[in-house]
Amino acid sequence: MKLASSATRNAMLACFAILTSGCSAAYQGRINDAEVHLVDYFQRSDGAAALISTMDEQNIDHAYVMGLPVMKKWGASAPKAPRFVYGDDTPVYYYSFTDELIAREVESLPTESQARLHPFVSGFNTTDMNAAEHIERELNYRPGFWQGIGEVITRHDHLTALTSDEKPRANHPALSKVYNLAARHDMPVLLHTNITSQREDNPLYLQELEQALNQHPDTRFLWAHAGTTTTLTRTITMKFLYQTVADLLSEHDNLYILASWSLIEVMMPQGQIDRRWLSLIEAYPERFMIGSDVVGQFQYQAGALAVWSPILSALPTHVADKMAYQNMLSVLPKKPQQK
C-alpha cells in the first residue's frame, strides 16, 4: 500500500530516471494495470466509477480489480479508530464479503466499463482446507464473472503477524486445492509470498514458492512484486533477487512477475536501472506485467505506474508493449463466459 508522499516521490524518480538513463524518449505505448485493490483494509472504496474515471484520465485501458481478503479490526481498547492497517496492534481477520463488495461495484457500471475490469476473487482463508470449495461456490454463483484468483496473501511482513489464526504460506495444503481449482478454470493466481524476512538477506522462503510451482505446473502464478515489500527493501539489500528470479523463470514456465510496488527499488537501486533486469525482461518478454497496487483510492494510480516508465523506455518497444499492456490480458482465461 502506498501513501501519497511515496507515490509523489516515485513519480519524480521516474521522470528523473528517464532523463538520466540514456533513453531517447519516454515510453508512449498503451498501459494496463494488473493490480488494483478496489477496497482498502477497512473495505472502504472510492468506488468502481471513480476508478474508471481515473483510468480514462490516465489512458489506462484495462485493470485487474480485487478486494482485500482481510479486514482490520477496530478494537474496543483502542483510544481511536485505526486509520491504517499497521496503525496499531489490533489484528486483521479474513473477510469473505470483500468479493461481494467488488462484484456489486463492477456490476453497477455500464457494460462497456465492466469489460475493462477483470475481477479476481480473494475473500477466503488461505489456511482453510475448505477454501477451494468456498471459491467454487462463488464461481458458480456468478458464472463467467471472475477471471482470476487473488491477491492470495501469504507471507507478508507485519500483515502476517497481525493475521488471526494459522499463518499462511505458499505451499499450504489448503492453497494446493485452490491452485488445482484455478487450473481447472483456466484462471491465473495472483500470489503474494515474501521471498525472505526482514532480517535474512537470502531467499529464505524460496522452497515454499518452488513447491507450489512444481506441484501445479498447469496453474499460472503471478508473483506480486517478486516477493519484495518496502519493509524488506528498507532493511536488506536483496541483491540475491535478480538471480533468484532468473532461475525461477528458467525453471518454471508457469511463473509470471507482477512488477508493482517495491520491486522498482530492486530494479532501480538509487534511481539507476540495474540493466541485468532489462536483459531478463527481454529474455522472457511474455512473463512480466505492471500494476499500481493502489488500495481503495485511485488518485495515486498514475504515479504508481509512472515509476515503471524508465524500465519501459529502456526496453525495445515490442517488449515494453507486452510488459505494459498485452501480458496481463494474455494470462486471463482464454474463453471467458459472457458476463
Side-chain angles (χ1 to χ4, degrees):
M1 181 175 181
K2 301 176 183 67
L3 302 179
S5 58
S6 176
T8 302
R9 182 178 66 252
N10 288 341
M12 293 175 63
L13 172 65
C15 295
F16 176 77
I18 291 171
L19 296 174
T20 59
S21 62
C23 303
S24 58
Y27 175 72
Q28 298 295 323
R30 296 182 296 174
I31 293 286
N32 286 329
D33 189 341
E35 189 178 8
V36 173
H37 296 278
L38 203 53
V39 297
D40 62 17
Y41 285 101
F42 303 97
Q43 304 298 319
R44 300 167 185 149
S45 175
D46 285 348
L51 172 61
I52 289 293
S53 178
T54 300
M55 290 170 61
D56 287 342
E57 292 171 3
Q58 303 301 328
N59 296 314
I60 300 167
D61 286 354
H62 295 265
Y64 294 168
V65 293
M66 62 207 73
L68 279 165
V70 292
M71 165 85 92
K72 175 68 172 179
K73 178 181 177 179
W74 179 6
S77 63
K80 61 184 295 186
R83 292 180 290 115
F84 182 54
V85 65
Y86 302 142
D88 59 29
D89 59 1
T90 55
V92 299
Y93 56 93
Y94 290 103
Y95 188 76
S96 294
F97 197 68
T98 193
D99 293 327
E100 182 64 22
L101 295 175
I102 301 312
R104 291 181 185 183
E105 282 291 333
V106 173
E107 290 170 342
S108 72
L109 296 171
T111 302
E112 60 271 19
S113 295
Q114 289 189 42
R116 298 169 61 189
L117 302 183
H118 306 275
F120 279 44
V121 60
S122 66
F124 57 91
N125 184 330
T126 53
T127 64
D128 183 355
M129 296 297 289
N130 282 324
E133 179 183 341
H134 167 79
I135 297 169
E136 186 89 67
R137 187 181 305 116
E138 178 60 26
L139 297 182
N140 291 333
Y141 185 75
R142 283 188 170 87
F145 179 82
W146 302 104
Q147 298 181 42
I149 298 174
E151 183 178 6
V152 178
I153 298 178
T154 61
R155 295 193 184 274
H156 195 316
D157 310 318
H158 306 302
L159 190 62
T160 304
L162 290 175
T163 302
S164 302
D165 204 0
E166 181 184 354
K167 305 307 179 186
R169 50 188 168 84
N171 61 343
H172 194 285
L175 285 178
S176 182
K177 297 169 72 173
V178 172
Y179 303 151
N180 287 336
L181 174 69
R184 290 200 304 273
H185 288 271
D186 190 32
M187 288 182 170
V189 174
L190 199 169
L191 175 66
H192 182 116
T193 181
N194 282 15
I195 189 63
T196 191
S197 74
Q198 66 187 83
R199 298 300 180 190
E200 296 289 336
D201 205 357
N202 59 77
L204 180 65
Y205 303 129
L206 177 60
Q207 183 180 3
E208 295 174 357
L209 176 60
E210 286 187 313
Q211 184 175 340
L213 293 168
N214 283 325
Q215 293 182 352
H216 302 278
D218 296 327
T219 302
R220 298 185 296 282
F221 290 88
L222 317 182
W223 191 17
H225 337 301
T228 68
T229 65
T230 53
T231 298
L232 296 178
T233 58
R234 289 169 183 168
T235 55
I236 57 178
T237 66
M238 303 201 76
K239 291 181 179 179
F240 66 85
L241 188 64
Y242 164 77
Q243 193 58 55
T244 299
V245 172
D247 291 344
L248 286 170
L249 289 173
S250 174
E251 296 165 6
H252 305 283
D253 60 9
N254 58 333
L255 177 65
Y256 300 78
I257 304 301
L258 173 49
S260 58
W261 193 28
S262 48
L263 182 57
I264 193 65
E265 298 176 20
V266 180
M267 288 189 176
M268 292 183 58
Q270 289 78 51
Q272 298 297 316
I273 297 175
D274 181 343
R275 303 194 75 84
R276 296 178 304 165
W277 286 96
L278 298 179
S279 298
L280 187 62
I281 296 169
E282 289 186 53
Y284 299 96
E286 286 84 25
R287 309 277 285 281
F288 288 81
M289 61 192 71
I290 64 171
S292 66
D293 198 16
V294 289
V295 178
Q297 298 178 323
F298 315 117
Q299 64 266 38
Y300 310 128
Q301 186 181 28
L305 293 173
V307 302
W308 297 100
S309 188
I311 300 291
L312 297 172
S313 300
L315 291 168
T317 301
H318 71 284
V319 176
D321 286 341
K322 288 183 178 182
M323 182 176 181
Y325 192 89
Q326 188 57 48
N327 289 346
M328 68 88 79
L329 297 175
S330 297
V331 300
L332 292 172
K334 299 300 183 292
K335 295 181 179 180
Q337 303 172 41
Q338 287 297 114
K339 293 183 183 179

